[in-house]
Every structure is written in C-alpha cells, then in structure tokens.
Amino acid sequence: MSDSVVDLLVLGSGIAGLSAAVRASGEHGLDVGVVTKGSLSDAATRWAQGGVAAVIDEASDSTDLHLADTLSVGAGMCDVDAVRTMVAEGPARVGELIAWGARFDRDAGGALSLGREGGHSASRVVHAGGAATGAEIERVLVDAVRATAAAVYEHVFALDLLVEDGRCAGVTVRHPDGSLGTVRARNVLLATGGAGQLYSVTTNPLEATGDGIAMALRAGVACADLEFVQFHPTALAVDRHPRPLITEALRGDGAVLRDLDGERFVDELSARDVVSRAVTQRMLDVGADHLWLDCTGVDDVADRYPTIVAMLADVGLDPAVDWLPVAPAAHYLCGGVVTDLDGATTLDGLWAAGEVACSGVHGANRLASNSLLEGLVFGTRAAAAVAAGQSGPAPTGVMAGVLDASGSPATVALDLDVVATGAAGCDPSLRSVLQQAMTHGAGVVRGDGSLATVADVLAAVAATPGDASVAALEVANLAVVGTALVTAARRRTESRGAHARVDASDADVVARRFVSHRTDGAG
Ligand code: SIN
C-alpha cells in the first residue's frame, strides 16, 4: 500500500463507491484509492435484484411522478431537494451505465423493459437478467474501475477515521496479515453500505456490518434516521443466513401473497412497509413463521427470472407450480451519515454516498429500486464535488437542518454514548446474540419494552472485549450502530414509515429528525 496521500480514498466497492472512483480517477484525473474489506466485486450491490428506478419513458412517466411516489412512500421524512436531484439526474446515470456496457433487459422492439414495483405509479424499473440487476451493474463498474489508474486495496479493513485539525485525513486500517497501518487521504468517501447484519433474519450479505456508520459515530460525525430499517416482505423463509430474496418485481408481474388459508390479504403493490407489516401481523395472528407467495400466475417465469428459478430449484421449489414460503427480512437502512446534496458530511474531508448515507432521498421508508439510483447519482456528485475542491458541508438537503439545528425544531439532537473501540473488537461469538435480540426487539414492529431489552443486550456486547480479528471488529461496529438505532427508535414515540411501534399507532404532526452525536468526550 502506497505511503503517498491520495486525493480521494473510497471505502467500499458497491455502486456508490465504484461510481465515485470511476469518475474521480477516469474523468477528473484525481489520485484515487479504493479500500474494501472483501474483494472488489464483493458488495451488497451484487445481490440487488429488482433494478434501478428511473424515468426512461417520458410518454408514460415523468420525474414529477417519480418525485411524488418517493415522497409519499418516505412518510414525510424525505428531503425534497435531494429527491428532486436524484430523479432528475438518474436517467442520465443509467444511460452512462449502458454506454459502459451494462446489458439491461429489453423488449422485442429493443426498448428497455421497465418493471413495476410497490409504491410506483408507473413502470420505471430498469433490470438485467430478470432479477440479476446488481450483479450486472457491479460487473460493469468493477471493469470500469480496473480500467482507471485507481489503486485497489482488497481485504483491507478500515478501522477508524483519522481526524487532524478538524479534518478527515485518512483512515487507520487492518491489513490482511493482521498488521495495523494508516492510509492518508485529502478526502475520504464512505461507501460502505448498510447494516443488515444487525438482524438474524436479513437479505443482506455477511459483510453488511455498518462499518462506515460506526466509524462516523465514533468520530462524532452526525448520523440520522437510523431507526428506519426497511424490511422486505418476501424473503424466502428457509433456514439460511442471509435469507434469499424473492424480488418485488414478481409481484409487479402478478405474483400474489396468500395467508395459510390461501387467502389474499393485502394489495401486493403497496409500499414495502405496508406489505411487511401486513405479512408480519398475519403471521403473528396465526403463530406462523411464513406465509405464501404465489407466482404461478406469472407468465414465462423461468425465462424471465432465471436466477430466482435456479435459486429456488436449489431448495426443491418451482415457482411455476409451488407456492413459496416467505417472511419479512431486514433489507435496507434508510438512514446513515448525514450529507448535503454533494455527499459532504459534518466533518471536512469526509463524504458519504449510498446506503451508508442519510442523503434524505428515502426518508422513513425507501421506494423500491431507489437505492441503486441513489448510489449512482450521489457517488457521481461526490466525486465531482471533491474534484471541484469543495470543502465542508453546504446548507443543502438534510444537512441544512443539521447545520442549523437551533433554528429547526424538526431536528432533535440525540446524546449517544459510544465507546471508542478503535482497533479493539468485541467478542465475535456474541454476533448471533446481538442479531437475535435485534430481530426480536427492534424488528418490523417494536415498542419501548422490546427496545429497552435490546439496549441492554447491546450494552453487554459492547462491554465484552474481543481481539482485533475482522470478526471481532465487525461485532464492535454492529454494537455501535445498533445502539444508535435503538436510541433513536426509543425516542421516536410515534409510528412513521418503516418505524412501527406497538405502543403508538399514529404519526406525530411534526416530522422530526433524530440526529446522533457522540457525547462521551471525543468527537
Ligand atoms: C427487490 O428486488 O425486491 C428489491 C429491490 C429493492 O431493494 O429496491
């Protein structure tokens, strides 16, 4: 690993990080490094199925409609400017992916084939290989980054942000051989994805341990909306971790949900939080651990969804004839590190894009297939802002309320006592204890009693030291992010979007945003 100071160090290799790296290195000529704890193509992006939501057909759709759908699903918590930016710039970013070689599905006439998912008022989801969209995008971006001069460091675990004179100056890292070191950078982009591994039932890969959010919290960087965890209603209910996802696109093509009596009970194309709650309630009513997804009415399912059909064949199911056992699973973290419209965070020199960020485009609940879009748009914007020499956050997007917390009654600061773990991890054998506690206490439906129980478990995990192995460091990060999430969830004494409380059925009149700040000295 080079000793020089790079212009931009990207942490993470999903759609946001690679989009930024390609632009920063290839287009803007910056000196770029990419650090990833796995191999370059090992990101959650590769697992994304449904696709990228973007207004492609202006005869039947418009960015105003996409904006309205996103705001409606976000339950009063989206930042309108951030959403407008995303829906306006998204189509061009999709066009660039195609120019770089992305092979999206097309109809017989050669036009992009557009799918429909929950909460969308038009068909606007661009997809590849039926439900292999993420894998196709990751393939194209990995190739594009490899073709630039960006230096790629694989199997290197970023531990903590290096902060000097109030500015991010790089990161401390753990090398593959276990030795510790430092990578210095003028700018660092967090593109480390989400934290689905907080839960024992999740669609997220094993790597999704909230590392970037934990690093930000430890450094005192503002994070928000962490209580809004989106649960996907149709993960395959089999004994696997992570649970295989059954794409929502199938419901757009006519698949229906059935309870154990074979009855339909919800509009399958409602927003994802609505469907997940309906499925969970029905499961609780009858004490079941799954309901059914009936895809037998979907035309040509084998031809159109080959990866799903192959995955199901592995467990002895054929969607053309079998109903599929499904249950909700933790899928996406709507909040994260607060950014302005260019990805700048509250720490000069630190940027964030993609699932790790709270850019304001998802609010309290993400519209289906807006996540790949967010990564594309805001990864690209962050690279451009770094290249333009922007330093420090501007009062735009979600950042506006955070910078002006005193003048914004809708922004509430949360005190967060985060233990600085540095290179010391927590006992890795406690990972499953933490995950079980989160699933039972901070799941699709939560209440203060269940959240208090999880808070105790998280405190116990955080206080149990481990070694400096990657497994131990990941558990330490999960404990930090889980603590911030549960703290915010306890303070949000209302039900809103993906945050549903058994002890509060309605949303408050004012949509408040809880911003986590570290209060234990440093940061
Ligand atoms: C899916 O394909 O159902 C998931 C897409 C998304 O997470 O938006």
Side-chain angles (χ1 to χ4, degrees):
M1 189 169 268
S2 145
D3 287 337
S4 62
V5 183
V6 295
D7 295 319
L8 176 64
L9 184 68
V10 176
L11 305 183
S13 61
I15 190 165
L18 296 187
S19 296
V22 171
R23 309 286 175 168
S25 178
E27 195 174 306
H28 303 299
L30 300 181
D31 188 8
V32 175
V34 179
V35 163
T36 175
K37 68 177 175 177
S39 63
L40 197 61
S41 56
D42 274 347
T45 293
R46 163 178 65 102
W47 294 52
Q49 295 189 0
V52 189
V55 174
I56 303 293
D57 178 4
E58 288 183 355
S60 64
D61 198 3
S62 72
T63 51
D64 281 347
L65 268 183
H66 192 180
L67 172 83
D69 292 345
T70 303
L71 297 181
S72 158
V73 165
M77 292 291 300
C78 292
D79 180 84
V80 179
D81 292 340
V83 179
R84 205 184 299 283
T85 299
M86 178 179 74
V87 300
E89 296 181 10
R93 299 290 86 82
V94 171
E96 285 155 3
L97 279 180
I98 294 170
W100 292 343
R103 294 184 289 259
F104 293 120
D105 298 331
R106 292 182 180 272
D107 63 21
L112 284 172
S113 149
L114 301 174
R116 181 85 175 256
E117 293 183 4
H120 288 277
S121 56
S123 294
R124 61 168 76 98
V125 179
V126 179
H127 47 88
T133 315
E136 176 62 4
I137 291 175
E138 188 73 12
R139 178 189 72 77
V140 167
L141 288 175
V142 165
D143 285 353
V145 167
R146 295 262 189 224
T148 69
V152 174
Y153 305 106
E154 297 174 292
H155 307 288
V156 172
F157 190 96
L159 295 168
D160 266 315
L161 300 171
L162 205 58
V163 181
E164 291 173 359
D165 301 325
R167 187 180 169 89
C168 185
V171 290
T172 53
V173 295
R174 180 192 187 281
H175 295 291
D177 65 2
S179 63
L180 304 182
T182 300
V183 185
R184 302 192 72 82
R186 290 181 192 86
N187 295 276
V188 172
L189 173 69
L190 296 174
T192 45
Q197 286 292 319
L198 282 166
Y199 292 86
S200 57
V201 179
T202 179
T203 62
N204 285 193
L206 299 178
E207 298 87 14
T209 51
D211 304 330
I213 297 170
M215 290 165 73
L217 287 167
R218 283 194 293 265
V221 178
C223 296
D225 295 359
L226 296 173
E227 64 276 34
F228 297 118
V229 178
Q230 182 172 79
F231 290 80
H232 196 291
T234 59
L236 191 66
V238 288
D239 188 17
R240 283 198 188 170
H241 183 81
R243 292 248 171 121
L245 181 67
I246 311 285
T247 182
E248 194 158 322
L250 276 158
R251 280 179 272 139
D253 277 339
V256 294
L257 281 159
R258 298 189 185 280
D259 66 15
L260 294 189
D261 295 325
E263 300 297 328
R264 289 177 69 182
F265 57 93
V266 65
D267 172 357
E268 289 84 358
L269 288 180
S270 302
R272 202 169 273 174
D273 62 326
V274 174
V275 182
S276 279
R277 273 196 300 280
V279 172
T280 301
Q281 193 53 55
R282 205 39 78 115
M283 284 167 49
L284 287 172
D285 288 349
V286 295
D289 65 358
H290 70 273
L291 299 181
W292 300 110
L293 183 68
D294 172 2
C295 305
T296 57
V298 177
D299 292 336
D300 305 324
V301 70
D303 288 340
R304 293 166 68 199
Y305 295 95
T307 50
I308 301 258
V309 170
M311 177 271 289
L312 290 168
D314 236 27
V315 292
L317 291 167
D318 176 355
V321 291
D322 299 315
W323 289 0
L324 311 175
V326 292
H331 184 61
Y332 192 87
L333 189 56
C334 298
V337 183
V338 172
T339 64
D340 69 8
L341 292 181
D342 290 308
T345 73
T346 52
L347 177 63
D348 287 5
L350 182 71
W351 308 76
E355 189 172 353
V356 69
C358 176
S359 67
V361 296
H362 306 311
N365 181 39
R366 174 176 65 89
L367 182 67
S369 286
N370 265 357
S371 51
L372 293 174
L373 185 69
E374 179 194 24
L376 275 177
V377 167
F378 290 97
T380 301
R381 289 180 70 88
V386 169
Q390 184 180 316
S391 183
T396 60
V398 175
M399 186 62 78
V402 172
L403 290 180
D404 183 23
S406 58
S408 164
T411 304
V412 181
L414 283 188
D415 297 343
L416 190 67
D417 185 8
V418 173
V419 177
T421 53
C426 294
D427 182 348
S429 72
L430 295 179
R431 181 164 171 147
S432 61
V433 173
L434 179 154
Q435 291 171 328
Q436 297 285 345
M438 288 290 294
T439 293
H440 291 121
V444 177
V445 183
R446 58 281 282 268
D448 198 58
S450 73
L451 290 164
T453 305
V454 192
D456 289 345
V457 173
L458 290 165
V461 172
T464 310
D467 50 23
S469 65
V470 167
L473 295 165
E474 287 183 338
V475 173
N477 286 342
L478 287 171
V480 169
V481 178
T483 301
L485 187 160
V486 166
T487 305
R490 292 186 76 183
R491 279 295 297 278
R492 187 172 290 285
T493 52
E494 61 167 348
S495 287
R496 180 184 295 279
H499 173 72
R501 289 189 55 142
V502 283
D503 42 8
S505 51
D506 295 329
D508 295 342
V509 175
V510 176
R512 289 166 302 156
R513 170 160 280 124
F514 294 110
V515 182
S516 303
H517 292 282
R518 180 177 163 188
T519 56
D520 59 336

